[in-house]
Structure formats: C-alpha cells, structure tokens
Amino acid sequence: MFNAVIFDLDGVLTDTAHYHFLAWQRLAEGERIPFDEAFNERLKGIDRMRSLELILSRAGRPYAPEEKRALAERKNHHYQELIATMTSHDLLPGALNALDSVREAGLKVGLASVSKNAPLVLDKLGIADRFDDIVDARQIANGKPDPEIFLTAADHLNVEPARCIGVEDAVAGIQAIKRAGMYAVGVGEPGVLTEADCVIHGLDSFHLSDYVR
Ligand code: G6P
Ligand code: MG
C-alpha cells in the first residue's frame, strides 16, 4: 500500500511547462541559438541556471557569468509575463480531482517543484492549501534528476520513500523519483518517459486504485 502521493507542478497540475518553453524560446531566438520542442524536453524539470547552461552550450560562443545572470533574469521576466493572468481555470483537467481523491483516500499529498515561481503559481491556481507539504527550490541543494527533492518531501510527510508515488512529466523528474526509491507515474508520452513505472496522458486518467498494491 502507498501512504503518500508527491506531485510535480509544471506540466502536471498546470500547463506552465508550455510557458517555460515559450519563455526559453523567446530568449534563444534573441541570442540566435537553435531551440525547439525536442530540445526543450531535456530542460523539463531542470532548474533555471542549468537549463540556461544547456541552451548556451548550443551557442557559438562562451558567455560571461554576468551575461548568464542577465539572460536568466530576462527568461524569468518573459515567464512571469506569461503566468501573470493565470487563475484556477488554468488547472489541467483532473488535477483537482486527483489531489482530492488522494486526500480522501487517507494518503498524504505532497508537492515537489524546483521552480522558484512555484509559490506564486500555486497561489494563482488557489491550491496551496491542498498539500500537506510543499518542497520548492528554496529548500534543496540539488535539483532533479537528483532524488533530494522527493526524499525531502517524503521526510516532511513522514512516509517511507517506498510507500510514496511520485507524479512527473519530465524525464529528469522520473529519474529523481526512481532514484528516491518511489513508484513513478509519468504524465505524457510512454516513448519519452521510458523509466516511469506507468504513464498516463493526463491527471484525468489518474486513479489511485490503479496503483494500490
Ligand atoms: C520546473 C520546470 C523547469 C524550470 C524549473 C525552474 O522544474 O519544469 O522548466 O526551469 O522549474 O523554474 P523557475 O521558475 O525557478 O525558473
Ligand atoms: Mg514538470
């Protein structure tokens, strides 16, 4: 039996993964660096500075640290412009039901997001009170695919990692869940999230009874 479900935010509960993509795309275009959806797949779940490093590795020149800081800030500005008008209507189909069904079944509900914007997005979606614990970028030293964020959430929830389900849309996120010793539910394409224990198209297909063992 499982005792907790730990959800990722961007791309799982709301479509901010697309906003991250648009913001990076705008930045890359400005720098004339090639960028597309396939490359973006590698950035999902990866923190801001490491995502920027990956993008800049495809540029034809080195970037100074202060240039990198300015670019990261610009990307965040683009991103915050995109999320400015978000409301609870931006929850993905099935998201609220999934959170409520977990709580109603008596399991703990956690959130694990490496985004520094996670508190803002949760506030806009109006769902911060639906979690027993929220772990975001401020509380961890190592981002996904390191298991730290999921292990920290499990620790805060007081549940053994082996009794946790992690839910993720990112390859790096699924790796983090597996390294934490948890059951991994992928949200997206089975051909992309190959290390997940099972893959669903969206949270409208999340049924806790499918994972009870
Ligand atoms: C999430 C997203 C990534 C994003 C990261 C940092 O993990 O999946 O695409 O780069 O958060 O987000 P931030 O809001 O701190 O730039
Ligand atoms: Mg995600």
Side-chain angles (χ1 to χ4, degrees), residues 138-173:
R138 292 167 302 180
Q139 298 164 60
I140 52 149
N142 307 294
K144 301 166 189 176
D146 191 282
E148 184 184 356
I149 192 161
F150 284 98
L151 291 173
T152 304
D155 184 50
H156 290 179
L157 294 170
N158 204 15
V159 176
E160 288 288 315
R163 291 183 173 273
C164 295
I165 297 173
V167 188
E168 262 287 352
D169 68 316
V171 173

Side-chain angles (χ1 to χ4, degrees), residues 99-110:
L99 296 176
D100 288 347
S101 70
V102 173
R103 184 166 273 182
E104 278 160 22
L107 281 73
K108 296 273 177 63
V109 192

Side-chain angles (χ1 to χ4, degrees), residues 10 20 43-48 51 75 114-117:
D10 297 321
H20 281 293
L43 306 183
K44 286 186 182 172
I46 304 294
D47 67 42
R48 197 182 307 163
S51 297
K75 183 269 175 176
V114 303
S115 172
K116 294 198 170 83
N117 289 292

Side-chain angles (χ1 to χ4, degrees), residues 22 30 36-37 45 59 66-67 73 77 89 92 98-99 101 107 112 114-115 127 155 189:
L22 292 175
D36 56 23
E37 296 252 16
E66 58 274 20
E67 250 184 315
E73 243 173 68
H77 184 76
H89 293 292
L92 281 167
L99 296 176
S101 70
L107 281 73
V114 303
S115 172
I127 55 168
D155 184 50
E189 301 296 328

Side-chain angles (χ1 to χ4, degrees), residues 67-86:
E67 250 184 315
K68 288 182 187 172
R69 270 195 296 277
L71 286 173
E73 243 173 68
R74 196 187 306 164
K75 183 269 175 176
N76 195 47
H77 184 76
H78 296 333
Y79 179 70
Q80 289 192 334
E81 251 176 39
L82 290 164
I83 62 170
T85 55
M86 276 179 76

